[in-house]
Amino acid sequence: MADPGTVLVLGGTAEGRELADALLARGAEVVSSLAGRVPDPRLPGGEVRIGGFGGADGLAEYLTAHGISTVVDATHPFAAQITRNAAEACAAAGVDLLVLRRPAWTAVSGDRWQHVPDLLGAASALKAFDAESTVFLTTGRQGVKAFRDLPHHFWLRAVHVPDAADLPLRCDVVLDRGPFTLDGERDLLRRKGIDVLVTKNSGGPMTAAKLTAANQLGLPVVMVDRPPLPDGLTTADSVSTALLALGRSQRDVPAGKGPEQPC
Ligand code: NAP
């Protein structure tokens, strides 16, 4: 691999950890950055810094002060603010930026998906369901407030305990962290008497089994679509394509496309 210089990996995802570990194994200088939202984050190898940078300006200053030559934004597809900040900061500091985003899930035959643009849209979509319906909410603890005033019975699955003040009146919390299996998800949907599933379109295999389970049980899914990426960014859809892109000048990769062939 050509030397991409010191790489800052904006993480908080499995891909961010895998990429940092793979770059380290190739002898690259890597710093991983986490937002610090969770008390027990899974850490990649190598140097890790935790906490915000102070907006796009703060990130640009960090890049210059730490001699960063490449940023990989491997944050979650719904972490839209840090992605905007990274685009602005890299442009200001003259640093290469690659966005690593796993592909979104796409519907297959038999899926009953209703697409909504955001969590408020999901809450609105639930109003069409009977107040006695049971909802399986897998959008995480952040943003659960959007559902607070709904009358339905919720099963909220999250990695950490949410703030009780944010929860809907009738809400049970299941604390769990993927990967989840198809048998497990089907069993859970049946046991809890779920009528409708609400999910973000996070993509990736770790939490996809619930969609297959919902399909098999004929359940409707309220699918929160991803926020759009800022225009003109170079993207890779897997750790391996990101590694290929980092192996040559980022500017050689066409905007909006990951490399398809090793070169
Ligand atoms: P966000 O709304 O896009 O970002 C809000 C602020 O958090 C940013 O402006 C930045 O603060 C700080 N931040 C976010 N990611 C950071 C990182 N990797 N390193 C340093 N600072 C970071 O982000 P979010 O949706 O709250 O997500 C926070 C983190 O959780 C992300 O790293 C993401 O990968 C992970 N995550 C998010 C979700 C989700 O559904 N949103 C799901 C799983 C994991 P400053 O402006 O001060 O720099």
Side-chain angles (χ1 to χ4, degrees):
M1 192 175 78
D3 184 5
T6 302
V7 182
L8 174 68
V9 178
L10 300 171
T13 57
E15 290 87 349
R17 288 190 298 277
E18 281 167 32
L19 181 72
D21 289 342
L23 285 168
L24 286 167
R26 287 160 171 74
E29 293 281 327
V30 184
V31 181
S32 294
S33 175
L34 303 177
R37 295 277 187 280
V38 296
D40 57 344
R42 291 176 181 172
L43 296 178
E47 186 180 337
V48 179
R49 65 162 301 286
I50 297 184
F53 297 94
D57 291 348
L59 178 53
E61 276 167 32
Y62 177 95
L63 298 178
T64 305
H66 291 79
I68 304 292
S69 32
T70 306
V71 173
V72 181
D73 172 5
T75 57
H76 190 271
F78 281 80
Q81 184 61 54
I82 188 70
T83 293
R84 281 192 296 274
N85 291 355
E88 199 180 317
C90 287
V95 167
D96 286 332
L97 171 64
L98 176 68
V99 180
L100 169 53
R101 280 289 179 283
R102 63 183 91 131
W105 293 315
T106 52
V108 299
S109 170
D111 278 339
R112 298 174 56 201
W113 291 8
Q114 177 179 355
H115 292 272
V116 294
D118 50 30
L119 292 177
L120 286 175
S124 219
L126 287 179
K127 290 180 185 155
F129 288 81
D130 188 277
E132 289 311 308
S133 302
T134 303
V135 181
F136 188 34
L137 189 59
T138 63
T139 48
R141 66 183 173 142
Q142 281 191 64
V144 68
K145 230 190 286 192
F147 304 91
R148 192 172 46 187
D149 297 330
L150 292 177
H152 312 84
H153 177 210
F154 286 86
W155 282 95
L156 165 67
R157 182 164 67 195
V159 176
H160 294 97
V161 184
D163 189 336
D166 291 345
L167 296 180
L169 214 54
R170 294 197 293 157
C171 185
D172 291 292
V173 177
V174 186
L175 291 182
D176 208 350
R177 174 184 245 170
F180 300 107
T181 65
L182 177 56
D183 284 351
E185 295 292 65
R186 205 174 31 223
D187 183 53
L188 185 112
L189 294 178
R190 279 202 185 112
R191 270 190 297 115
K192 307 292 188 198
I194 301 298
D195 296 302
V196 55
L197 165 69
V198 182
T199 181
K200 290 176 177 171
N201 195 335
S202 300
M206 294 213 340
T207 57
K210 63 190 170 193
L211 298 172
T212 310
N215 178 307
Q216 291 180 356
L217 297 174
L219 295 179
V221 174
V222 176
M223 179 64 70
V224 183
D225 290 331
R226 293 176 171 194
L229 279 178
D231 287 339
L233 298 183
T234 302
T235 62
D237 65 4
S238 66
V239 170
S240 54
T241 53
L243 287 168
L244 284 172
L246 293 171
R248 56 182 170 171
S249 163
Q250 307 272 315
R251 294 185 182 91
D252 293 343
V253 182
K257 289 212 170 135
E260 285 159 14
Q261 300 294 329
C263 54

